[in-house]
């Protein structure tokens, strides 16, 4: 039996790396989302007696084979372990109940780590976290690894469960980890880990900026730690990290031990054995363009180089990568106005980068949703001069409206309230769709030829939409229904 990986957990309650301990034992999976269902199936495969619970009973309608339905908020008698969904806050009653019963609680990534570590040849984890840019970086990294001939997969918070990636036998995992997932994964140690940036986000969950940053910092407990040193908070985490090798990434020409940009080229001065630096990729080959995309590319390159990927494969991977949907995606041009879908800008830090990439004075900004405790004052103050107008949606729109009144009093502001007539013939699929329809029409009325209508909400979407993807699709569909659009014209 290996040492117990969970600090302060009762001995004998955890499988650690000896997964045979789970055989015949009761495990509760609390949360029937994508990762919860994957964890339940993996635990059944390991011989555990699995109970699955969820606050939404409909999610339990089609249980995986061998899984029993449980009652939400209850821990069955004899439970050895609780595997929780990543969104469960540390102050949730189930957490207190598990602690009182002496039952340890971990997340699906931690379970995947145990399963992988117990294999004869464990997969290599190259992990990325940060307030903004995680998904793009992980996508770039997976593309680079595949260009180098590795059996690599992007997984984790990007949407593909880690337990499924490990069970499938992939050799190298490009892992996106949220602060929630890191909080519930105390023994996870990647081969190389990266913090891109740290800004206010999920403070309602973590309780403080310090706790949020501490969760992010866990990914740097690795043989190689990488961080975006242009971001002061990320640079501080790198400085304090226990990693034996620390690598900074910067948009400036790099010093030894760093990756950066010189003369329009991404340059590695950390992993080049000559110490002089090696060129990786021209700036113009990186997509998405602009500072955030370049930072993501440098992070992906650093993790790949830490794993031994050659410069040519880095160039091939970055050159062949294209960002996914809802990340500064072109939603069309109508009446001389360009519409940009950056629905994935789910916090002020991401919206900051999105606004900075657009022409000053020509932006009609669609913003709002769930702010998760984040402050928008600084964001609005920095970009007040770039705005033509703003359209504000979401249940926490008042905070954004107030910030606009303080810092951009001359900027026209339109509020869209759920339930207002969206002016759409026929039925509306969901509450957020009608809101977005009205928001796009109001933005179109405020915009002038040459302007950009930018959906960069600076907030999460779950108040009115299923996720940021649905929000982005609603935006693109509403643009397509504007008078004069190609879709509206039937082209």
């Amino acid at each position: 039996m290996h040492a117990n990986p969970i600090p302060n957990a009762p001995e004998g309650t955890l499988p650690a790396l000896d997964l045979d301990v789970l055989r015949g034992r009761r495990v509760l999976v609390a949360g029937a989302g994508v990762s919860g269902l994957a964890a339940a199936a993996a635990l059944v495969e390991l011989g555990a007696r699995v109970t699955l619970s969820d606050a939404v009973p409909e999610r339990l309608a089609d249980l995986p084979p061998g899984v029993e339905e449980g009652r939400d908020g209850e821990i069955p008698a004899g439970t050895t372990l609780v595997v929780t969904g990543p969104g469960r806050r540390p102050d949730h009653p189930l957490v207190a109940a598990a602690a009182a019963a002496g039952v340890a609680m971990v997340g699906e990534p931690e379970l995947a780590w145990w399963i992988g570590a117990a294999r004869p040849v464990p997969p290599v984890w190259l992990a990325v976290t940060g307030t903004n840019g995680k998904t793009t970086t992980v996508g770039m990294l997976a593309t680079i690894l595949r260009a180098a001939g590795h059996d690599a997969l992007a997984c984790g918070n990007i949407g593909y469960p880690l337990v499924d990636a490990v069970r499938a036998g992939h050799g190298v995992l490009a892992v996106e980890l949220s602060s929630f997932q890191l909080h519930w994964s105390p023994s996870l140690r990647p081969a190389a880990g990266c913090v891109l940036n740290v800004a206010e986000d999920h403070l309602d969950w973590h309780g403080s900026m310090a706790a949020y940053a501490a969760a992010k910092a866990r990914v740097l407990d690795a043989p190689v730690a990488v961080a975006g040193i242009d971001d002061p908070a990320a640079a501080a985490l790198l400085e304090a990290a226990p990693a034996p090798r620390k690598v900074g990434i910067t948009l400036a020409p790099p010093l030894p031990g760093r990756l950066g940009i010189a003369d329009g080229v991404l340059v590695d001065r950390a992993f080049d054995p000559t110490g002089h630096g090696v060129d990786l990729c021209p700036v113009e080959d990186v997509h998405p363009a602009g500072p955030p995309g370049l930072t993501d590319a440098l992070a992906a390159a650093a993790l790949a180089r830490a794993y031994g990927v050659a410069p040519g494969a880095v160039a091939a991977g970055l050159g062949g990568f294209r960002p996914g949907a809802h990340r500064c995606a072109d939603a069309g041009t109508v009446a001389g106005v360009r519409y940009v879908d950056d629905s994935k800008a789910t916090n002020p830090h991401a919206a900051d980068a999105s606004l900075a990439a657009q022409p000053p004075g020509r932006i009609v900004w669609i913003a709002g949703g769930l702010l998760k405790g984040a402050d928008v004052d600084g964001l609005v103050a920095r970009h007040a001069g770039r705005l033509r107008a703003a359209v504000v949606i979401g249940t926490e729109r008042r905070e954004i409206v107030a910030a606009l009144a303080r810092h951009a009093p001359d900027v026209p502001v339109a509020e869209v309230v759920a339930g207002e007539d969206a002016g759409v013939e026929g039925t509306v699929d969901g509450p957020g769709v009608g809101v977005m329809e009205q928001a796009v029409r109001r933005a179109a009325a405020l915009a002038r030829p040459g302007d950009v209508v930018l959906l960069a909400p600076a907030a999460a979407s779950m108040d009115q939409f299923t996720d940021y993807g649905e929000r982005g699709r609603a935006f693109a569909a509403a643009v397509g229904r504007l008078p004069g659009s190609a879709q509206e014209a039937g082209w």
Side-chain angles (χ1 to χ4, degrees):
M1 178 90 170
H2 292 268
N4 193 325
I6 308 298
N8 304 318
E11 287 298 330
T13 63
L14 290 171
L17 304 183
D18 185 357
L19 295 173
D20 283 341
V21 173
L22 283 177
R23 191 169 302 279
R25 305 289 288 274
R26 174 69 61 189
V27 178
L28 171 64
V29 177
V34 174
S35 63
L37 291 170
L43 287 161
V44 169
E45 189 177 88
L46 292 168
R49 297 166 56 208
V50 181
T51 301
L52 182 62
S53 65
D54 197 280
V56 181
E58 291 78 11
R59 292 182 177 175
L60 303 174
D62 188 17
L63 295 175
V67 176
E68 301 174 19
E69 181 177 339
R71 291 171 61 90
D72 182 53
E74 292 186 5
I75 300 177
T79 295
T80 296
L81 176 72
V82 177
V83 178
T84 180
R88 192 174 307 279
R89 289 165 52 147
D91 60 357
H92 191 280
L94 188 68
V95 179
V103 177
M105 180 178 288
V106 299
E108 177 262 344
E110 179 79 1
L111 176 64
W113 176 255
W114 293 347
I115 294 171
R119 296 193 166 218
V121 181
V124 175
W125 292 48
L126 304 174
V128 179
T129 194
T131 303
N132 187 35
K134 298 183 294 295
T135 300
T136 299
T137 302
V138 164
M140 288 175 167
L141 175 58
T143 305
I144 292 169
L145 291 166
R146 288 193 290 267
H150 295 294
D151 175 20
L153 180 74
C155 51
N157 195 56
I158 197 170
Y160 191 93
L162 281 155
V163 289
D164 285 349
V166 171
R167 291 165 68 205
H170 295 284
V172 191
L173 306 182
V175 181
E176 177 182 336
L177 291 171
S178 70
S179 59
F180 305 161
Q181 290 173 315
L182 285 162
H183 176 89
W184 293 117
S185 302
S187 76
L188 194 160
R189 300 290 183 271
C194 175
V195 174
L196 294 166
N197 42 59
V198 183
E200 283 191 354
D201 199 15
H202 303 301
L203 301 191
D204 55 342
W205 197 96
H206 289 280
S208 70
M209 186 66 184
Y212 173 62
K216 293 290 190 189
R218 285 186 170 185
V219 82
L220 300 179
D221 189 358
V224 180
V226 179
I229 58 174
D230 295 338
D231 181 280
L237 294 183
L238 183 65
E239 178 70 22
R245 188 169 191 183
K246 303 177 186 182
V247 177
I249 57 170
T250 174
L251 298 181
L255 298 173
R258 298 177 178 177
L259 279 75
I261 298 175
D263 299 322
V265 177
L266 277 64
V267 177
D268 171 17
R269 295 195 66 189
F271 301 100
D272 175 32
T274 70
H276 300 300
V278 60
D279 291 352
L280 298 176
C281 175
V283 164
E284 58 264 26
D285 287 354
V286 174
H287 301 276
L294 291 170
T295 298
D296 297 344
L298 288 164
L303 292 170
R305 293 286 285 156
Y307 185 57
V309 172
V314 174
L318 289 177
F321 175 79
R322 293 297 181 271
H326 314 300
R327 171 61 84 188
C328 290
D330 185 359
T333 299
V334 181
V337 175
R338 187 163 63 94
Y339 292 79
V340 175
D341 168 15
D342 198 8
S343 182
K344 202 172 187 305
T346 57
N347 54 63
H349 187 271
D352 182 72
S354 190
L355 287 162
Q358 306 304 327
R362 309 301 296 269
I363 303 170
V364 179
W365 182 30
I366 299 179
L370 289 174
L371 291 171
K372 302 168 290 183
D375 178 48
V376 293
D377 256 41
L379 172 70
V380 173
R382 281 190 297 277
H383 296 286
R386 307 178 71 86
L387 302 178
R388 167 87 69 198
V391 179
V392 188
I393 64 175
T395 57
E396 295 182 357
R397 64 187 177 278
R398 296 186 188 280
E399 288 87 339
I400 298 177
V401 171
L404 286 162
R406 284 191 293 272
H407 303 292
D410 297 328
V411 170
V413 176
E415 285 188 72
V416 177
V417 180
E420 287 185 346
D421 178 15
V424 188
E425 294 182 1
T427 60
V428 172
D429 295 331
V433 176
V435 166
M436 188 59 73
E437 190 82 28
Q438 184 74 349
V440 168
R441 292 198 176 199
R442 291 194 181 186
L446 291 163
R448 302 175 189 174
D451 286 354
V452 174
V453 172
L454 174 66
L455 173 66
S461 58
M462 288 80 75
D463 56 336
Q464 295 176 322
F465 302 89
T466 303
D467 51 28
Y468 73 80
E470 185 190 50
R471 181 169 62 187
R473 291 189 294 273
F475 173 79
V479 172
R481 287 190 286 267
L482 288 173
S485 72
Q487 181 178 321
E488 191 269 346
W491 296 349

